Amino acid sequence: MTTTAQIPLFPLLQPLFPGTRLNLQIFEQRYLRMITECLKKQGTFGVVPILEGGEVGAVPQVHPWGVAAEIIDWNQLENGLLGIAIEGGQRFQLLNSRAEKDGLVVGEVRFCAEDPVVPLDDSSEDLQELLALLAEEYYPDNHDWQPPRDSNGLGWQLAQLLPVEPVLPISLLEMADPLARLAQIRDWLDTLSQTQPN
């Protein structure tokens, strides 16, 4: 069952995917207000990937699919800014949006049904090994990384870490089938291998 809701939106150049985490520094007043309200009300906000524009200033053009973000930790950084750690939750489709007086964008979103859980098996062993190598490089001093539990986790973690054009992993947000996502990732890897010099 899908539901709709009005939630504040945080456009980011670095996408957030279900089950993945990002650390952010918050300094614009509109986002400080958003985070404060979310913490007070135990509410959520949506992260939408930026297609054109930037994270600061004017409202950018964003992708029509995004992910609900949960604040899992926050603290004041040494530079005086607010630092938050967020984790991706449910996918959603952005139906429409409006900007409030301070520039904070609020969107009407349709949350997607939970994706089917498909266990990992030998058919994805090569992708699991690739992810472990990428994670070793991406999290050299971080022992908090957890291997994926199912095909959803494998696909989303690869989407976060693979060195491909950002528009490619963003396109996975529209897909509900975890095996279709893994097949798409394999296509990218095949293309990458063909373009690598011998």
Side-chain angles (χ1 to χ4, degrees):
M1 179 179 177
T2 57
T3 58
T4 60
Q6 296 268 349
I7 60 173
L9 300 178
F10 198 158
L12 286 178
L13 291 168
Q14 184 178 3
L16 179 71
F17 299 105
T20 68
R21 296 184 176 185
L22 289 177
N23 295 317
L24 304 175
Q25 294 187 45
I26 310 298
F27 55 90
E28 287 194 83
Q29 287 300 316
R30 53 182 168 175
Y31 297 128
L32 287 168
R33 174 170 73 87
M34 178 188 75
I35 298 302
T36 300
E37 291 177 356
C38 285
L39 288 171
K40 283 182 179 178
K41 301 175 182 178
Q42 295 185 327
T44 189
F45 63 93
V47 171
V48 283
I50 293 175
L51 297 179
E52 290 184 18
E55 294 177 349
V56 179
V59 176
Q61 179 185 345
V62 299
H63 191 69
W65 292 80
V67 172
E70 178 188 358
I71 302 171
I72 57 175
D73 194 14
W74 64 275
N75 63 300
Q76 185 173 5
L77 303 175
E78 291 182 1
N79 58 11
L81 300 180
L82 173 65
I84 63 170
I86 60 174
E87 182 170 287
Q90 205 168 356
R91 295 182 303 115
F92 62 76
Q93 183 179 13
L94 178 60
L95 303 177
N96 56 66
S97 62
R98 58 179 173 80
E100 299 190 337
K101 288 183 179 180
D102 61 358
L104 181 67
V105 177
V106 176
E108 180 183 7
V109 304
R110 178 186 294 122
F111 286 105
C112 302
E114 293 293 333
D115 295 337
V117 176
V118 179
L120 295 170
D121 57 28
D122 292 344
S123 67
S124 63
E125 187 174 352
D126 58 332
L127 293 179
Q128 295 176 57
E129 292 175 355
L130 173 61
L131 176 60
L133 291 172
L134 290 169
E136 195 173 295
E137 181 176 342
Y138 192 79
Y139 303 103
D141 301 316
N142 189 338
H143 301 293
D144 293 334
W145 179 73
Q146 296 293 329
R149 297 178 179 179
D150 55 32
S151 295
N152 278 310
L154 177 61
W156 294 129
Q157 289 195 35
L158 284 169
Q160 184 186 43
L161 299 184
L162 275 175
V164 294
E165 290 294 322
V167 69
L168 296 179
I170 288 172
S171 68
L172 297 179
L173 289 170
E174 303 176 38
M175 304 172 69
D177 183 345
L179 295 183
R181 289 191 213 109
L182 293 181
Q184 183 64 73
I185 289 171
R186 286 188 186 281
D187 288 344
W188 301 339
L189 293 172
D190 288 344
T191 302
L192 279 174
S193 65
Q194 293 168 11
T195 57
Q196 294 296 323
N198 295 325

